[in-house]
Amino acid sequence: MSTPFALEARGLSKSFPGVKALDQVNLALAAGEVHALMGENGAGKSTLIKILTGVHRPDEGSLLLAGEPVSIGSPMEAMEAGIGVVHQERNVIRRFSVGENIVMSRMPRKGLRVDWAAVRSEARRCLAQLDLDLDPETPMDRLSAAQIQLVEIARGLYTETSVLLLDEPTASITSNEADRLFRVVDRLRDQGKAVVFVSHKLEEVFAHCDAVTVLRDGRSVMEAQRLADHTRDEIVDVMVGRSLAALQVPDRVIDLTAAPVLELDGVSTSLGHRGVSLEVRPGEILGLYGLVGAGRTELARAMLGLGRITQGELRVRGKAATIRSVRQALENHRIGYVTENRKEEGVFLEQSVTRNIAVTVWSTLARAFGFVSGKGEQALAGQYVTELDIRIAGQYQNVGQLSGGNQQKVSLAKWLAAKTEILIIDEPTVGIDVRTKRSFYDLIWRLADEGLAILLISSDLAEMVTLADRVAVMDRFTVTGTVDNTHDYDAMSQSIIRLIHTGTAAVAAPGRSKENA
Amino acid sequence: MTAQNRDDAPRTATRRPGAVRRFLATPRFFLIVLIIALVVVIGALKPSFFNGPFVIAPLLTSISIFTVVGLSQLVVMSVGHMNLAIGPMAAFGAMFAGMSFQLFGLPLWAGVVVGLLAGAAVGALSGWIIARTGVNSFIVTLAMSFALIGLVPTVYSWLTTGSAFTVKPDGLDVIGRASFATLCLGNVCGTNAIPIIVVPTIVTMAILGYLFTRTRIGRELLMTGSNVQAAELSGIPTSRRIILVHTLSGVLAALAGFLLAASTGSFTPGIGGEFMLQSFVGPILGGTLLAGGYVSITGTLLGITLTLLIRKGLDLFGVGIETLNILLGVILLIALSADRFRLIRTRRTRAAAAVAPPDDTGGDPHPTGPGADKKEEVSA
Ligand SMILES: Nc1ncnc2c1ncn2[C@@H]1O[C@H](COP(=O)(O)OP(=O)(O)OP(=O)(O)O)[C@@H](O)[C@H]1O
Ligand SMILES: [Mg+2]
């Protein structure tokens, strides 16, 4: 071997109580190369990255940095060794500003005091790399999930690194924002840095990565191969461990004469929406697409009473409804809401899988004296663990110990278990692997066929085109139009982009948008 | 995962650690060991410790009262709140009970009900203010505590001459001062080492144990304690649950106040003066998390037992009250750091790759052993 690898891991193993997360894993990163790390949910990708950055210590195996053996005992040591990272889970401090969060790992100082001017300029420099026009003084809790993810990436770019590890950095942003990240990644590659890229979005991986390592059940089953030598299907089959049949998009017939179960009529909200009108019929999947900051999540939250409707009307099954809380939405109107922010709002990290799933059904399970049968709730949760293939050591396990994708499944399972009639799903497949995505799509179609009305918010255009029956496009807190889904990706993406631009033009003259439903 | 998949990837999916091993890793087991050791040591050095009616029975009486005090804190801790007004709430509840005996001549049961309702009312008021305004429970209950500390003695001085209600309805002494020796079936009588007052405490523990382990509301309280936002977004009426726990805390404080009054024989404004420290020490030593989401009811009993046993032991050796208080402070400190430690450990357990702050020297960030999953159920 002429030039040593920028970073090499040999025979890494790591066990957690109840599970062997890594088993003799090898990873070799060459300088000037973007290396894809692939694998299903729970395969061990994040664990590997945490070992490379000193968050976890390996049970076995060794690390070589530029050919020299190193031991990385803490995140601080990793930083000093020139290994930068963007972790899968958000690790921002909510009360701090964007700038402080970006430079947190190494605060610029003047003597003993923090150099605030440098904090701002450094933060601005990192944000500029991502073309992000965000004031470093903005408090973190004003940002959306996607913006937070972008700030996390900016943080990874703050210190000079020779190796940059990106654990699902694009999970909750749209392809527009992701493209900015890839421009940065391309530049790093040209500078001879090694980049690791974890993603469940195959398109991105194939468009931007040079080499690939695949993990399956904690083992590296494909090691540092050239990505160009393999097809998508091959990689998927290696990840899954068997050949995966192509996704069948069913022919869906929706009863267009049925009365809508959920309607928004010229709704303006305290969160800033203007004249939003939408309708969802039973059995229909209405997609809500838009760029980051378009106000989709906020719209969902306003419907659920987490914001106020100041004008217009929300109608559920034809009747005007005022919803003040998720409780009311669930009990009075049978509406469920899967949040996009799983770590902070979707799951209870310190509670068991069973309880996390059963939380929405206790009111149905409860009998005399509020008694809830432990067996009953376990059986119910078990059903969804199987259905969504949630990978756990046992139902007693705390959700905080699951891999990111499996936590997402838990957050979803709880609302599927609630058996609602209207389901608002916000970014349901963030961080979910290819195979589970398919079973999830099948499940959503089945539920829709059974009459569930679904409002689907997703930043993944491919997912929109696959799942939705109609797509409503939002821009700057208003709906700019609705298109029937032809399931033709290119045509759809064009008409959607056009609607986004119309929205930008229409800002000058705000008013009720026309629907062509 | 398909079966075929499993075959080609034999991952060591070990089983959940057995119930016994899990128990051995809890603070409860540690407390039991300590308690037994102390009993043996104290008993060996001072055989007078084993005197039933004069040492053991009074000790069990205080354990019973203070366990209720601890439970009163435990219920608010389940949602991650605190109640700094437990002492004054106890005085307030006891005052109403004493008042109904002395001024209205009510029978025992009615007076107790009045006292508990009074406790419920002040607790509900704190809870309502907290839920309504979103102000931290620390501040609200601190204010409540000041208000009651002012109010209770004033009422006593209006209504009584000696600042105490001393009228005892029938049965008060049975609850407060009798032992099982007074209960006889034919010729067989109970022991005089166990006071009757343990009964209300055991019943309270059983009810709370049922609440937290078996019912929807108990589960919802723990979920609220784990993550309020997620609880609200899962359809749990968190405001109502918060009001509920504070109400319950008020009821239990009043019950503790009544039991203390019954054991001393008079209702005075000084009731509850010693409650606050103990109310935290018991639950925290027993494993209940200050941050919410996990409670241990037997742990509270054991924590209280340990502190009172130490106190009794030192008492027998003639150590003064100041030393006792210093010791109590030290125990609280240990208990609180134990709580911190457990919290950090569970936080680290989270798959979250907590980007450690630069000064974090960090030990092994994952817990080994069964303690890691301790939070997923409550002990009754
Ligand atoms: N702190 C922990 N305690 C116990 N088990 C853990 C812990 N962290 C991870 N695991 C387990 O290790 C395995 C690998 O998890 P990891 O997070 O590395 O998966 P991943 O490949 O990143 O998956 P995803 O695509 O869902 O993010 C999983 O089975 C997970 O439950
Ligand atoms: Mg991961």
Side-chain angles (χ1 to χ4, degrees), chain B residues 30-31 34-35 38 277-286 300 302-314 323-339 342:
Chain B
F30 186 61
L31 286 175
L34 273 181
I35 289 169
L38 266 178
L277 269 188
Q278 290 284 358
S279 76
F280 284 103
V281 175
I284 293 175
L285 274 184
T300 302
L302 293 170
I304 291 288
T305 306
L306 180 71
T307 54
L308 293 180
L309 192 60
I310 293 177
R311 199 174 236 223
K312 186 59 122 195
L314 292 180
T323 324
L324 284 179
N325 283 338
I326 294 174
L327 200 76
L328 203 63
V330 171
I331 293 177
L332 183 68
L333 210 60
I334 295 173
L336 281 170
S337 33
D339 179 75
R342 270 195 305 274

Side-chain angles (χ1 to χ4, degrees), chain A residues 50 55 327 350-351 372 389 400, chain B residues 1 214 216 226 235 351 365:
Chain A
K50 285 178 200 170
V55 176
R327 173 69 148 211
E350 287 131 356
Q351 301 286 342
V372 172
D389 191 14
Chain B
M1 197 193 241
R214 301 271 179 265
R216 159 189 172 194
S226 282

Side-chain angles (χ1 to χ4, degrees), chain A residues 146-190:
Chain A
Q147 285 173 315
I148 292 174
Q149 175 132 47
L150 290 167
V151 170
E152 288 262 2
I153 298 172
R155 177 152 81 180
L157 302 175
Y158 169 54
T159 45
E160 268 303 295
T161 56
S162 56
V163 179
L164 183 60
L165 310 173
L166 302 170
D167 195 353
E168 301 198 28
T170 57
S172 50
I173 55 183
T174 64
S175 51
N176 278 50
E177 285 95 17
D179 285 342
R180 302 182 198 160
L181 168 65
F182 290 122
R183 281 206 290 280
V184 178
V185 167
D186 288 342
R187 195 161 66 233
L188 292 174
R189 171 178 21 215
D190 295 342

Side-chain angles (χ1 to χ4, degrees), chain A residues 45-46 88 167-168 403-404:
Chain A
K45 304 177 296 293
S46 300
Q88 181 177 12
D167 195 353
E168 301 198 28
S403 81

Side-chain angles (χ1 to χ4, degrees), chain A residues 219-233:
Chain A
R219 295 178 176 181
S220 39
V221 286
M222 181 184 266
E223 293 174 0
Q225 306 236 347
R226 307 238 44 89
L227 194 58
D229 300 343
H230 299 277
T231 64
R232 258 183 221 207
D233 289 346

